[in-house]
Amino acid sequence: MKTTERFHLQRVKDLQEIFSETNLVEVWRNVVRQQLRSQDISDLHDYYDFNINIKERSAFIQQQILSGQYRAKSPLIYKLEKKYGVCRHIMLPSPSDALVLQTIVEKSLQEKLLNSQPNKQAYYSRDKHTLKLPHEFKDLRDYPWHIQWKKFQKEIWKFGSNCNFLAVTDITNYYDSIGLRELRHIISSQIETPEVVLDLLFAIIEQLSWNPDYLPSSLKGLPTINLEAARLLAHALLFEVDEVIQSRTNGNFVRWMDDINFGVNSFEEACETLGIINDVLKSRGLALNLGKTNIYNPEEVERHFLVKENKFLDSINPKEADVNKYNEIITQLYQEFNQHKKQSKLKSWDKVTKRFFTTVGKLKSNILLDDIKELFLKYPSIRSNIIYYLSLLGFSDKTSKVVIEILENLKVYDDVTLFYIVKLLTDWSIPNNQYCKDIIDKIYSILKKNKKPFDYYCILWFVAKYGKPQEILSLIQSNKSLWIHDPFLRRQIISVIPKIIFYRHDLCQKMLDEETSSGLEDSASVANNIRYLSKQEKLSFDLNAYLFPKTKQTPYPLAKYLILLACLSSEHLKSDESVKKKVFEYVNDPWYLHWLETYVY
């Protein structure tokens, strides 16, 4: 037995209030679906199998929870490089677990916790707060910095008075150092919530935690999950620290998760406050990161927060840039960037570097292309912004050569970097001609040199767009030992079947049948959904809204294209002229069109 009589008499009532089908569906549609889409790692089926059956999935989740049977699935654990090959382990939970966690937070904890927050100077979610960052200080003028300093403090950090010094610090290995028992004690002391809700919450957290090599749970470390539910829990743990800083600084502080900035009037006062904060943290098994702790005077703040560079970037609005002064603006940007590159030791260097790439990218200038290779290889923290810059420039002979140079010199220590590049390549609109085919072949040959399981996922993503059906089939069959026991990879394999279903229909149907009967929930769910889509006789309202939204997507997402192919494997939809018209209205990538014209129409 998994439950006692007490569970059915008492605890089920508390769970029923939270886990209604209505609540689960609402949280999925309003929060979780978009959160999963915004992760570093994407799903080749866009979690569409979960979304299309959300009411049935919610009913099943509710039944499992109310019967005491719910257990978290093993999350996908991937690595994200911090520096020098040292990586952070990131957990990507299954859609069900992400939904259950977020439902607990949304429907039981969030409002109560935020109401118990001792002040409004601490933040955990950019979506839910209007926290300003230093570069968003719009009132910078040509006054001397000591005159601007007071306004800067009030606008950015919401300090009530002018302070002579700014102390900046954060917590050493914050997520990894959080004691789960301590976290539970703190949450239960701050708010009233049913015991069974906290039991379920912390059971799921423990099941999602990284415990390699059959090691027992240490009950230490909040899983690093890029979901709002985990951030709120980590945020609440520091409320007692907020209270101490509030008292010590008269409210002149701001905290963004574990990054803490506070103002004081003397160096001694800053040191004393830091010591007090550290003592409070030590009582909870945490400690300040002395390597990232500094006490700045106004001039040092101006230098470390790169106020002048931010002011310069604020003066350039890509949407309103004067066409006649374009070359002058670009030249000025390049000169400023060359000076900025030399200041990599300053606190906000990487944040301002990201701003340079974004600004120059929106101006569609390639002036930073020569700097990309060195910066990409050396500074993991800015890689996603370099990729964004390249996406804004689009495919060209120059940009493709830079990407190839990066790939040829890249030492991959994490799982995310290679996917960033592959995602860029599949988002680009690359012409379908012999010259570009040679570029694609060269990139494919480089990618195939990587042998880790996650590299295989990146290769699969690449060939899902550019590979011939027979190449994809060969890749799947020759690497079966690599993916057959990996639930995530197996799900991605099944997700790409629509690309080859027109080439080997009978074989694909056999693969789908085998997967449906395999008992592996995630991949079988995709297989069932592909079979369901391939039997549609007409385009339903929901399916039409998904494939052909009112606002056209550019680029058309690869995962959505694969789902479109699954639909077009239905003879009814394939022969429907109205569907065909929409397909060619929405899909304009040369390679997507090539496969459609070669195998479908």
Side-chain angles (χ1 to χ4, degrees):
M1 288 179 64
K2 298 288 186 181
T3 60
T4 64
E5 191 63 22
R6 178 190 63 152
F7 182 84
H8 300 286
L9 289 174
Q10 177 185 341
R11 291 160 74 88
V12 166
K13 293 178 183 177
D14 294 325
L15 293 170
Q16 281 175 327
E17 290 185 19
I18 300 170
F19 293 103
S20 67
E21 288 183 37
T22 302
N23 282 350
L24 288 163
V25 170
E26 175 192 318
V27 173
W28 168 261
R29 288 178 174 164
N30 293 344
V31 183
V32 177
R33 188 185 187 198
Q34 195 52 46
Q35 284 188 352
L36 289 175
R37 281 177 163 177
S38 64
Q39 298 297 303
D40 292 317
I41 303 302
S42 301
D43 177 45
L44 272 169
H45 201 62
D46 195 27
Y47 302 107
Y48 191 66
D49 53 321
F50 197 91
N51 184 68
I52 199 171
N53 298 303
I54 185 57
K55 291 183 179 179
E56 293 81 1
R57 291 294 187 108
S58 295
F60 180 69
I61 290 170
Q62 182 196 47
Q63 182 272 326
Q64 283 195 306
I65 290 174
L66 298 185
S67 64
Q69 303 294 315
Y70 193 86
R71 296 292 181 274
K73 300 180 181 68
S74 295
L76 171 68
I77 301 175
Y78 61 91
K79 295 192 291 185
L80 175 65
E81 186 180 1
K82 297 165 70 176
K83 196 176 183 181
Y84 302 137
V86 177
C87 297
R88 178 183 286 115
H89 287 84
I90 311 291
M91 317 292 167
L92 179 59
S94 70
S96 297
D97 295 333
L99 178 55
V100 171
L101 280 174
Q102 191 63 33
T103 302
I104 292 173
V105 168
E106 292 266 332
K107 301 302 179 181
S108 182
L109 303 181
Q110 183 172 270
E111 185 177 353
K112 297 174 188 175
L113 279 174
L114 294 182
N115 286 339
S116 72
Q117 190 172 326
N119 48 61
K120 303 301 180 185
Q121 293 293 94
Y123 308 89
Y124 75 100
S125 171
R126 287 284 286 174
D127 296 335
K128 294 186 180 294
H129 298 290
T130 54
L131 173 67
K132 289 186 178 180
L133 300 177
H135 72 262
E136 295 172 314
F137 178 46
K138 299 299 184 184
D139 282 345
L140 287 171
R141 300 214 174 108
D142 294 325
Y143 302 131
W145 173 244
H146 70 271
I147 294 176
Q148 299 175 36
W149 168 235
K150 184 174 182 179
K151 198 171 182 68
F152 184 78
Q153 292 179 79
K154 283 191 172 183
E155 182 171 334
I156 296 300
W157 290 297
K158 303 278 191 285
F159 290 180
S161 58
N162 186 26
C163 302
N164 296 328
F165 291 88
L166 178 73
V168 300
T169 187
D170 71 9
I171 300 172
T172 300
N173 296 327
Y174 181 46
Y175 269 69
D176 294 336
S177 303
I178 292 174
L180 297 184
R181 285 177 179 169
E182 291 292 331
L183 179 59
R184 177 173 178 141
H185 291 330
I186 288 174
I187 289 175
S188 60
S189 70
Q190 289 169 344
I191 62 172
E192 287 187 18
T193 194
E195 179 189 43
V196 67
V197 174
L198 292 180
D199 288 341
L200 177 60
L201 173 64
F202 282 91
I204 292 173
I205 287 173
E206 192 174 339
Q207 290 158 15
L208 291 175
S209 296
W210 186 53
N211 290 308
D213 308 331
Y214 294 115
L215 291 172
S217 172
S218 64
L219 294 178
K220 191 173 186 179
L222 186 65
T224 307
I225 303 173
N226 289 329
L227 299 173
E228 190 178 288
R231 288 198 299 270
L232 177 62
L233 296 176
H235 174 61
L237 182 62
L238 297 179
F239 284 176
E240 59 188 14
V241 174
D242 296 339
E243 201 163 4
V244 170
I245 306 175
Q246 168 87 16
S247 172
R248 293 286 308 175
T249 67
N250 226 10
N252 292 322
F253 85 99
V254 66
R255 175 173 66 79
W256 167 252
M257 289 301 294
D258 65 318
D259 290 323
I260 301 167
N261 299 337
F262 63 87
V264 290
N265 288 316
S266 70
F267 191 88
E268 293 74 17
E269 187 183 348
C271 291
E272 187 177 339
T273 303
L274 287 167
I276 290 170
I277 295 170
N278 195 56
D279 285 344
V280 174
L281 290 170
K282 284 176 71 176
S283 72
R284 298 296 188 184
L286 305 168
L288 290 180
N289 185 343
L290 295 182
K292 293 185 178 180
T293 300
N294 287 288
I295 302 168
Y296 298 134
N297 62 33
E299 290 72 27
E300 289 170 325
V301 170
E302 180 183 24
R303 189 162 63 89
H304 278 275
F305 284 87
L306 296 160
V307 171
K308 291 179 180 176
E309 287 84 347
N310 277 311
K311 177 183 177 181
F312 166 69
L313 289 168
D314 282 340
S315 71
I316 298 171
N317 186 337
K319 291 182 179 179
E320 299 174 3
D322 190 330
V323 177
N324 297 321
K325 293 185 178 180
Y326 179 82
N327 290 334
E328 180 184 331
I329 292 171
I330 295 300
T331 301
Q332 198 176 1
L333 271 165
Y334 190 60
Q335 290 171 349
E336 290 286 341
F337 184 76
N338 279 332
Q339 291 300 312
H340 170 72
K341 279 196 304 181
K342 302 170 186 176
Q343 305 181 88
S344 60
K345 300 295 182 185
L346 298 180
K347 176 179 172 60
S348 295
W349 181 84
D350 57 343
K351 294 181 179 66
V352 176
T353 305
K354 294 174 183 179
R355 289 200 71 199
F356 269 105
F357 276 111
T358 300
T359 302
V360 175
K362 287 181 177 178
L363 288 166
K364 303 291 185 183
S365 170
N366 62 9
I367 57 166
L368 301 185
L369 275 182
D370 292 340
D371 299 285
I372 280 180
K373 176 186 166 185
E374 179 188 354
L375 292 172
F376 191 93
L377 298 177
K378 190 174 182 180
Y379 300 105
S381 65
I382 64 173
R383 285 175 181 167
S384 61
N385 292 79
I386 291 175
I387 293 294
Y388 180 60
Y389 171 61
L390 288 168
S391 73
L392 291 171
L393 292 185
F395 172 81
S396 69
D397 187 39
K398 288 184 178 180
T399 55
S400 62
K401 285 179 179 176
V402 168
V403 170
I404 289 172
E405 285 181 10
I406 289 173
L407 282 171
E408 288 177 332
N409 291 275
L410 184 64
K411 298 292 184 286
V412 180
Y413 300 105
D414 66 4
D415 299 314
V416 173
T417 299
L418 192 61
F419 182 69
Y420 282 161
I421 297 173
V422 168
K423 181 71 164 54
L424 169 73
L425 292 166
T426 53
D427 282 347
W428 268 350
S429 180
I430 302 179
N432 181 18
N433 56 42
Q434 190 56 51
Y435 177 74
C436 292
K437 286 179 182 176
D438 291 341
I439 291 174
I440 289 169
D441 289 342
K442 184 169 185 178
I443 291 171
Y444 186 37
S445 66
I446 297 171
L447 290 175
K448 285 193 292 186
K449 294 177 182 178
N450 297 288
K451 300 297 182 183
K452 294 185 298 182
F454 221 89
D455 300 334
Y456 179 71
Y457 160 68
C458 296
I459 295 168
L460 185 68
W461 190 283
F462 185 77
V463 298
K465 179 173 182 181
Y466 297 112
K468 296 176 181 177
Q470 54 266 43
E471 289 175 329
I472 299 173
L473 190 57
S474 174
L475 183 71
I476 292 172
Q477 292 174 333
S478 62
N479 290 277
K480 189 171 183 178
S481 62
L482 193 64
W483 59 262
I484 192 69
H485 300 299
D486 186 314
F488 175 74
L489 282 181
R490 192 158 172 166
R491 176 181 171 89
Q492 307 312 307
I493 290 291
I494 301 304
S495 298
V496 85
I497 282 179
K499 179 71 183 288
I500 56 179
I501 202 166
F502 298 94
Y503 168 67
R504 292 287 304 275
H505 186 271
D506 291 344
L507 178 60
C508 288
Q509 288 298 331
K510 182 182 177 183
M511 290 171 67
L512 293 173
D513 290 342
E514 289 175 352
E515 204 59 37
T516 300
S517 60
S518 69
L520 295 173
E521 184 179 332
D522 277 357
S523 51
S525 175
V526 176
N528 275 325
N529 199 46
I530 291 172
R531 293 171 65 184
Y532 167 77
L533 294 172
S534 68
K535 294 175 182 177
Q536 295 303 293
E537 295 186 3
K538 62 179 181 178
L539 216 54
S540 68
F541 176 83
D542 289 343
L543 196 53
N544 183 73
Y546 175 76
L547 293 173
F548 311 118
K550 289 182 180 179
T551 303
K552 292 183 181 179
Q553 292 172 278
T554 305
Y556 196 79
L558 176 57
K560 188 170 288 192
Y561 177 69
L562 292 173
I563 292 170
L564 173 63
L565 291 179
C567 294
L568 294 178
S569 65
S570 159
E571 285 298 327
H572 295 283
L573 294 181
K574 178 182 173 181
S575 59
D576 188 322
E577 287 299 320
S578 64
V579 172
K580 182 177 180 180
K581 181 181 178 182
K582 282 191 174 182
V583 168
F584 287 101
E585 181 184 343
Y586 276 77
V587 179
N588 52 29
D589 182 278
W591 285 88
Y592 290 161
L593 292 173
H594 170 69
W595 303 124
L596 283 169
E597 291 165 354
T598 303
Y599 293 102
V600 183
Y601 290 112

